[in-house]
């Protein structure tokens, strides 16, 4: 049972207990974590991948931490609205939030958010970036696309989820590594970007396998490559870009962060809870259904990864 100040004060009057003794006991319990519901902010809209991850994990975290976990959406401006809001909250661990690659990329687009703005807690999942074309495309391989783009710079178009999105950044990196020029066609989110490729409005779409996968399974799109270190077990016939001589690896990902100056012991408790939750069969099943790779990193690991990502996006998003 958790210590409640109001009921203890009542006991002081009834039993004549020492006020000093009650305060001492209260101070000890007040140092424990968590003491009250945890608010988990999501800087993207309801129904998206990050939101569904948060809502799948919330009841599991409640069982682990023995407090309510309340998911709150705070979308806007590529996630910067929610992440900037999180940075201003009380650093006691009772308000935490989802973050993604935007925490590393948006500083290069003059947003007021960067890795140092928040306290890294844990990375939880990643979803490999990929490049796909309409099923009837003349591009049968990634080499075909590169050759066409070299022959006519800017003639090959690719859709992405929006200006400054991580997949526009991936597209920029792809062009740099391949020595080609593509026409970027940004959309407001992944769904319309993928749909544009299905409808033949663009030649190519760059996004992650979770968003592209359903259209590949339906036969509307076809993968040319994944931007991964090695072929995926679930896509054994899809080559990596590296196999075509293009040294580019990238993925979208979800992680968790806390306001700056959150105590290390509180961060460790939250990170450990997420590590446990990621092993729960309910979340494992969810990740498999949505083509996500469970990819836990502890606070130190996520901090290092964010530094690497910031350097990478700095090269890809340079003005």
């Amino acid at each position: 049972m958790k210590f409640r100040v109001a009921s203890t004060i009542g006991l002081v009057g009834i039993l004549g207990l020492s006020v000093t003794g009650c305060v001492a006991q209260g101070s000890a319990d007040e140092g424990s974590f968590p003491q009250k519901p945890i608010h988990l902010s999501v800087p993207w809209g309801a129904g998206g991948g990050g939101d569904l991850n948060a809502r799948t994990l919330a009841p599991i975290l409640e069982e682990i931490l023995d407090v309510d976990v309340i998911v709150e959406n705070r979308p806007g401006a590529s996630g910067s609205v929610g992440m900037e809001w999180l940075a201003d909250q009380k650093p006691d661990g009772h308000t935490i939030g989802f973050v993604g690659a935007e925490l590393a990329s948006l500083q290069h687009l003059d947003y007021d958010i960067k890795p140092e703005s928040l306290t890294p807690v844990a990375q939880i999942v990643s979803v490999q970036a990929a490049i796909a074309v309409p099923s009837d495309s003349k591009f049968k391989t990634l080499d075909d696309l590169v050759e066409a783009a070299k022959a006519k710079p800017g003639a090959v178009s690719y859709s992405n989820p929006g200006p400054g999105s991580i997949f526009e950044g991936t597209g920029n990196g792809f062009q740099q590594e391949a020595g080609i020029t593509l026409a970027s066609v940004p959309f407001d989110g992944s769904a319309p970007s993928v749909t544009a490729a299905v409808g033949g409005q663009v030649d190519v779409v760059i996004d992650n396998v979770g968003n592209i996968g359903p259209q590949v399974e339906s036969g509307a799109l076809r993968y040319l490559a994944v931007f991964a270190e090695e072929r995926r077990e679930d896509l054994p016939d899809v080559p990596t870009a590296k196999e075509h001589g293009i040294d580019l690896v990238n993925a979208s990902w979800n992680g968790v962060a806390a306001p700056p100056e959150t105590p290390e012991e509180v961060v460790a408790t939250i990170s450990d809870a997420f590590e446990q939750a990621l092993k729960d069969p309910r979340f494992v099943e969810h990740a498999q259904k949505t083509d996500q790779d469970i990819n836990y990193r502890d606070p130190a690991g996520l901090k290092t990864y964010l530094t690497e990502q910031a350097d990478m996006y700095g090269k890809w998003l340079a003005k």
Side-chain angles (χ1 to χ4, degrees), residues 113-191:
I113 192 73
K114 55 186 176 181
E116 296 79 12
S117 302
L118 296 168
T119 300
V121 173
Q123 182 183 345
I124 58 174
V125 294
S126 59
V127 193
Q128 213 68 50
I131 184 167
V133 295
S135 56
D136 60 355
S137 172
K138 63 182 179 181
F139 304 134
K140 303 305 179 185
T141 68
L142 192 62
D143 289 338
D144 292 341
L145 185 156
V146 170
E147 289 176 10
K150 285 183 176 179
K152 293 184 178 181
V156 177
S157 60
Y158 82 98
S159 61
N160 59 76
S165 67
I166 63 172
F167 294 118
E168 184 183 53
T170 303
N172 289 348
F174 171 53
Q175 293 174 76
Q176 292 172 20
E177 292 293 332
I180 59 176
T181 299
L182 303 176
S184 173
V185 183
F187 287 83
D188 186 17
S190 289

Side-chain angles (χ1 to χ4, degrees), residues 240-266:
T240 66
K242 297 185 76 168
E243 291 177 54
H244 291 272
I246 299 170
D247 189 12
L248 189 149
V249 175
N250 198 29
S252 58
W253 55 270
N254 283 171
V256 183
E261 300 184 9
T262 300
E264 290 184 8
E265 61 272 19
V266 171

Side-chain angles (χ1 to χ4, degrees), residues 20 56 83 170 220 247 285 287:
T20 302
T56 302
M83 289 187 282
T170 303
D247 189 12
E285 181 182 8

Side-chain angles (χ1 to χ4, degrees), residues 2 13 15 21 44 57-58 111 115 118 120 153 185 189 193 203 214 225 236 242 245 299:
K2 295 187 181 298
L15 303 178
W44 310 292
L57 285 167
Y111 283 85
L118 296 168
V185 183
S193 175
D203 299 305
K242 297 185 76 168

Side-chain angles (χ1 to χ4, degrees), residues 47-282:
D51 176 68
L52 294 177
N53 285 338
R55 295 182 188 280
T56 302
L57 285 167
I60 303 172
L61 291 167
E62 289 179 341
E63 295 172 6
I64 295 170
L65 294 170
D66 196 27
V67 294
D68 291 337
V69 177
I70 304 165
V71 178
E72 301 171 337
N73 298 90
R74 297 181 181 276
S78 299
S80 66
V81 170
M83 289 187 282
E84 288 178 20
W85 175 86
L86 179 62
D88 290 333
Q89 302 310 299
K90 185 177 180 181
D92 62 1
H94 292 100
T95 301
I96 57 177
F98 264 34
V99 295
E102 294 83 1
L103 181 55
S105 67
L106 288 177
Q107 63 180 319
H108 303 297
L109 299 170
D110 298 327
Y111 283 85
D112 293 327
I113 192 73
K114 55 186 176 181
E116 296 79 12
S117 302
L118 296 168
T119 300
V121 173
Q123 182 183 345
I124 58 174
V125 294
S126 59
V127 193
Q128 213 68 50
I131 184 167
V133 295
S135 56
D136 60 355
S137 172
K138 63 182 179 181
F139 304 134
K140 303 305 179 185
T141 68
L142 192 62
D143 289 338
D144 292 341
L145 185 156
V146 170
E147 289 176 10
K150 285 183 176 179
K152 293 184 178 181
V156 177
S157 60
Y158 82 98
S159 61
N160 59 76
S165 67
I166 63 172
F167 294 118
E168 184 183 53
T170 303
N172 289 348
F174 171 53
Q175 293 174 76
Q176 292 172 20
E177 292 293 332
I180 59 176
T181 299
L182 303 176
S184 173
V185 183
F187 287 83
D188 186 17
S190 289
S193 175
V194 173
T195 299
V198 171
Q201 295 173 251
V202 293
D203 299 305
V204 178
V205 58
I206 295 179
D207 208 293
N208 67 43
V209 296
N211 292 326
I212 296 174
Q215 296 297 344
V216 172
E217 293 174 6
S218 73
L221 295 179
R222 174 167 45 82
Y223 285 120
L224 291 183
V226 290
F227 295 109
E229 288 286 357
E230 55 188 26
R231 294 194 183 198
R232 292 176 59 91
E233 291 184 6
D234 58 340
L235 299 173
D237 297 327
V238 180
T240 66
K242 297 185 76 168
E243 291 177 54
H244 291 272
I246 299 170
D247 189 12
L248 189 149
V249 175
N250 198 29
S252 58
W253 55 270
N254 283 171
V256 183
E261 300 184 9
T262 300
E264 290 184 8
E265 61 272 19
V266 171
V267 171
T269 297
I270 301 170
S271 188
D272 290 346
F274 272 96
E275 184 178 16
Q276 292 180 53
L278 297 179
K279 299 174 184 176
D280 188 282
R282 288 168 287 181

